[in-house]
């Protein structure tokens, strides 16, 4: 649309109620000049774009016949052949816009909103008529203009960051690298220029659902869509990238919520690492976070280096808190260590085997189904849970995967012996008169032997290291008993054992054997 005739054609079409077809910022800018020249108000203009809504690379539409130029004797508006009579304000109208506003308009034109051309024309109309507050973010239109520019710049940044080029085999020819992206806004032209300056003479192509750009090393070619999804891409070297990505992943610095907010979910499906990130997040949540490094690196023994005694470092102190404990390997797969809970001078201490799934997540002993059954047994025995000290022989949850669940796995003897360090500290601090061992693992931990037999000690208090030891079933064992009669009998054994523990703590049981 060049010259006065072109300007009159666009203005006449708008004044006659015909929609203006615009497919690029350059076309919109030319049309805006024409409309402003003839003082066509924004609310009288209808703007449309091509089907698909926003591809700036699509081919231009076929030119339509221009309506006849109006004359002084043109028929009145409203008749079938009406053509409005328009008088231009200036023969060669010029938009007097500051560079900052032009840059904002050009960026906002890439924002995929249905009324973008109409909105941009309203902004320009207001500016040309002296309403310069339209550039302010405090203005309603100005605020929207700033938001559109921000959305486009954010999309450009995301496209720079989350495009992943796949290398094609040499026999496939050019382009050597191909990438697929699904942008929310029309930012492909700007992004293409960015990669032209970054990739040198290496040939590449970026495909989107609406358009594609191809760089042959010297010229940038703009085309329509050439691919339908990232499934068309295959890179044999991608496995090497995933290996590197896993090796640099630091679970100790993981913030899953921040990761998801920085990388929207729509990008993950097209990122190669998107297939392995959920697995690494799960591993971090299950204990790898505490290593501060990848699990494989943390288990390497390293190389022994001979040094003189004067250069040797002093022996490290024993861990002072459970969170620092590395005495066995269970900490690697547990969420956290679970210490004891209860009065520091309790007369009765209950020792279980290890924390379960819910205890591992909550960081407290006996809060899951087994804990609820234990609460019921304590109530039947007339014993207040708040007056006893609850702990476990092993402080970390040992489990094995079963589908999406973590199932309990009995600790090995070496793991029980490693955790005796913490149980001994609890015994020395609480100094209970009676210990109730819940199950065979707890009994072996309390007695410090691997040969104690549960059934031989049920109902028979044992004197050990100056205190009584009473043995009962573990609550989880009672939960697993399938037969109702056997379940009821096991529950009775637990209640009787707890009652016996109260009697012994009150000095009403059998007299201690003579030293």
């Amino acid at each position: 649309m060049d010259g006065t005739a072109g300007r009159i054609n666009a203005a006449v079409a708008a004044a006659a109620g015909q929609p203006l077809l615009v497919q690029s910022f350059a076309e919109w800018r030319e049309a805006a000049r024409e409309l402003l020249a003839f003082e066509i108000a924004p609310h009288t203009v209808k703007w449309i774009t091509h089907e698909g809504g926003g591809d700036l690379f699509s081919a231009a539409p076929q030119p339509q016949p221009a309506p006849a130029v109006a004359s002084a004797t043109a028929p009145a508006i409203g008749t079938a052949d009406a053509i409005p009579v328009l008088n231009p304000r200036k023969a060669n109208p010029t938009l007097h816009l500051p560079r900052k506003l032009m840059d904002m308009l050009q960026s906002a034109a890439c924002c995929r909103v249905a009324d973008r051309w109409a909105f941009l024309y309203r902004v320009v109309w207001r500016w040309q008529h002296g309403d310069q507050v339209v550039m302010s973010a405090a203005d309603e239109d100005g605020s929207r203009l700033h938001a559109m520019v921000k959305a486009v710049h954010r999309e450009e940044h995301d496209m720079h960051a989350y495009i992943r080029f796949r290398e094609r085999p040499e026999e496939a020819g050019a382009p050597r690298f191909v990438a697929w992206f699904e942008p929310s806004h029309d930012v492909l032209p700007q992004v293409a220029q960015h990669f032209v300056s970054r990739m040198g003479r290496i040939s590449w192509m970026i495909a989107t659902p609406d358009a594609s750009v191809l760089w042959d090393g010297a010229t940038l070619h703009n085309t329509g869509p050439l691919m339908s999804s990232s499934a068309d891409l295959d890179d044999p070297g991608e496995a090497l990238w995933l290996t590197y990505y896993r090796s640099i992943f630091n679970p100790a610095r993981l913030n899953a919520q921040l990761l998801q907010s920085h990388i929207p979910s729509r990008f993950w499906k097209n990122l190669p690492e998107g297939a392995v990130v959920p697995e690494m997040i799960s591993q971090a949540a299950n204990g790898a976070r505490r290593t501060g490094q990848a699990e494989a690196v943390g288990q390497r023994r390293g190389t022994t280096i001979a040094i003189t005694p004067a250069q040797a470092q002093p022996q490290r102190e024993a861990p002072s808190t459970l969170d620092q404990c590395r005495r066995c390997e269970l900490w690697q797969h547990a969420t956290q260590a679970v210490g004891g809970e209860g009065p520091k001078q309790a007369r009765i201490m209950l020792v279980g085997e290890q924390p379960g799934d819910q205890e591992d997540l909550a960081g407290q002993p006996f809060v899951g189904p087994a804990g609820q059954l234990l609460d019921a047994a304590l109530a039947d025995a007339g014993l207040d849970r708040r007056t006893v000290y609850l702990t476990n022989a092993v402080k970390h949850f040992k489990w094995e995967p079963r589908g999406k669940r973590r199932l309990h796995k009995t600790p090995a003897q070496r793991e029980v012996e490693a955790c005796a360090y913490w149980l001994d500290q609890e015994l020395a601090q609480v100094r209970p008169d009676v210990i109730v061992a819940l199950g065979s693992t707890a009994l072996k931990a309390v007695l410090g032997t691997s040969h104690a037999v549960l059934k031989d000690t049920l109902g028979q208090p044992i004197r050990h290291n100056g205190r009584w030891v009473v043995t009962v079933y573990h609550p989880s064992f009672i939960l697993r008993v399938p037969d109702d009669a056997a379940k009821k009998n096991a529950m009775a054994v637990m209640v009787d054992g707890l009652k016996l523990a109260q009697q012994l703590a009150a000095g009403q049981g059998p007299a201690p054997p003579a030293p």
Side-chain angles (χ1 to χ4, degrees):
M1 291 183 286
D2 296 325
T4 303
R7 291 195 294 273
I8 294 177
N9 290 341
V12 167
Q18 299 178 12
L20 298 183
L21 176 62
V22 173
Q23 300 184 96
S24 68
F25 179 74
E27 290 182 4
W28 170 85
R29 181 173 56 186
E30 185 65 25
R33 286 197 183 103
E34 299 160 8
L35 296 173
L36 287 171
F38 293 98
E39 290 291 333
I40 305 296
H43 68 275
T44 65
V45 185
K46 181 179 180 181
W47 303 82
I48 62 172
T49 186
H50 69 287
E51 242 184 359
D55 174 19
L56 301 184
F57 286 148
S58 294
Q62 295 297 321
Q64 301 296 323
V69 179
S71 66
T73 59
I77 296 177
T79 64
D81 301 324
I83 300 176
V85 177
L86 301 175
N87 295 313
R89 185 178 61 180
K90 295 181 180 179
N92 296 294
T94 303
L95 288 178
H96 298 285
L97 302 180
R99 173 56 64 88
K100 180 180 180 180
L101 180 56
M102 280 299 300
D103 291 342
M104 293 179 68
L105 293 172
Q106 190 163 4
S107 293
C110 299
C111 187
R112 288 182 185 171
V113 292
D115 64 337
R116 57 176 151 179
W117 305 122
F119 171 72
L120 296 183
Y121 182 60
R122 183 167 72 246
V123 170
V124 172
W125 171 272
R126 289 182 58 185
W127 179 274
Q128 282 293 98
H129 287 77
D131 191 2
Q132 299 183 355
V133 75
V134 72
M135 279 188 65
S136 170
D139 180 78
E140 183 177 357
D141 287 339
S143 175
R144 185 184 180 193
L145 179 64
H146 280 268
M148 291 171 67
V149 171
K150 182 177 180 181
V152 169
H153 288 172
R154 179 66 183 180
E155 193 68 16
E156 292 176 14
H157 169 272
D158 288 342
M159 204 164 175
H160 294 163
Y162 305 129
I163 275 185
R164 294 292 185 270
F165 284 100
R166 267 88 166 190
E167 187 173 10
R168 304 173 70 220
E170 292 185 6
E171 58 270 17
R176 179 179 174 185
F177 294 93
V178 179
W180 168 263
F181 198 82
E182 300 174 20
S184 298
H185 302 291
D186 297 324
V187 297
L188 186 56
Q190 302 94 298
V191 173
Q193 292 300 325
H194 168 79
F195 284 103
V196 164
S197 62
R198 294 290 298 274
M199 302 283 280
R201 296 188 175 277
I202 300 176
S203 62
W204 51 265
M205 182 182 78
I206 300 176
T208 74
D210 301 312
S212 303
V213 290
L214 175 64
W215 172 252
D216 60 11
T219 306
L220 189 66
H221 305 274
N222 304 321
T223 71
L226 299 178
M227 294 170 53
S228 58
S229 71
S230 59
D232 301 332
L233 303 176
D234 184 27
D235 183 0
E238 200 165 276
L240 180 61
W241 157 247
L242 293 179
T243 300
Y244 169 74
Y245 189 84
R246 286 189 181 97
S247 71
I248 63 173
F249 177 72
N250 187 345
R253 297 179 61 87
L254 173 67
N255 185 330
Q257 184 177 2
L258 187 63
L259 174 67
Q260 293 168 0
S261 67
H262 280 191
I263 308 181
S265 58
R266 67 187 179 96
F267 297 136
W268 283 112
K269 64 179 181 179
N270 295 322
L271 293 176
E273 58 269 29
V276 300
V277 167
E279 175 190 355
M280 293 191 295
I281 292 177
S282 177
Q283 291 176 351
N286 290 333
R289 179 193 305 275
R290 300 183 181 278
T291 67
Q293 54 188 345
E295 180 179 351
V297 175
Q299 292 179 345
R300 294 177 183 171
R301 297 184 179 277
T303 303
T304 301
I305 302 176
I307 59 175
T308 63
Q311 295 175 313
Q313 294 291 325
Q315 184 177 1
R316 293 183 179 180
E317 296 181 359
S320 58
T321 65
L322 273 174
D323 288 337
Q324 300 173 355
C325 184
R326 303 294 185 266
R327 298 178 66 85
C328 70
E329 298 178 355
L330 293 186
W331 65 273
Q332 299 182 48
H333 306 290
T335 303
Q336 58 192 316
V338 180
E341 183 179 81
K344 297 304 182 183
Q345 302 299 325
R347 303 189 68 181
I348 300 176
M349 175 186 285
L350 274 62
V351 181
E353 181 188 85
Q354 67 168 1
D357 179 75
Q358 295 190 29
E359 288 80 6
D360 173 72
L361 297 174
Q364 295 177 283
F366 295 98
V367 295
Q372 296 173 12
L373 189 143
L374 177 61
D375 288 343
L378 289 169
D380 290 344
L383 191 57
D384 189 345
R385 173 171 173 150
R386 293 171 298 181
T387 65
V388 300
Y389 189 91
L390 298 172
T391 190
N392 286 290
V394 175
K395 310 303 183 185
H396 286 100
F397 179 35
K398 184 176 183 178
W399 56 278
E400 58 185 358
R402 190 71 56 84
K404 295 183 179 180
R405 300 175 58 197
R406 299 189 300 170
L407 295 186
H408 160 276
K409 188 175 182 180
T410 303
Q413 182 62 27
R414 66 179 181 278
E415 293 158 350
V416 176
E417 293 173 354
C419 238
Y421 173 87
W422 300 109
L423 183 60
D424 290 343
Q425 284 193 11
E426 290 176 309
L427 290 171
Q429 181 180 9
V430 179
R431 301 175 65 185
D433 296 325
V434 181
I435 300 174
V436 179
L438 305 176
S440 59
T441 300
L443 179 62
K444 294 173 184 178
V446 171
L447 299 181
T449 177
S450 60
H451 303 293
V453 180
L454 178 67
K455 64 179 182 179
D456 294 341
T457 58
L458 289 174
Q460 303 294 328
I462 303 171
R463 194 71 178 174
H464 178 72
N465 289 343
R467 54 177 64 96
W468 290 105
V469 178
V470 176
T471 308
V472 298
Y473 292 114
H474 194 282
S476 61
F477 168 77
I478 302 176
L479 291 174
R480 293 194 302 268
V481 173
D483 182 69
D484 289 341
K487 186 185 296 287
K488 184 176 181 180
N489 180 65
M491 186 68 173
V493 170
M494 173 175 283
V495 173
D496 291 341
L498 293 173
K499 290 180 179 179
L500 176 59
Q502 291 183 81
Q503 296 173 6
L504 294 172
Q508 299 174 3

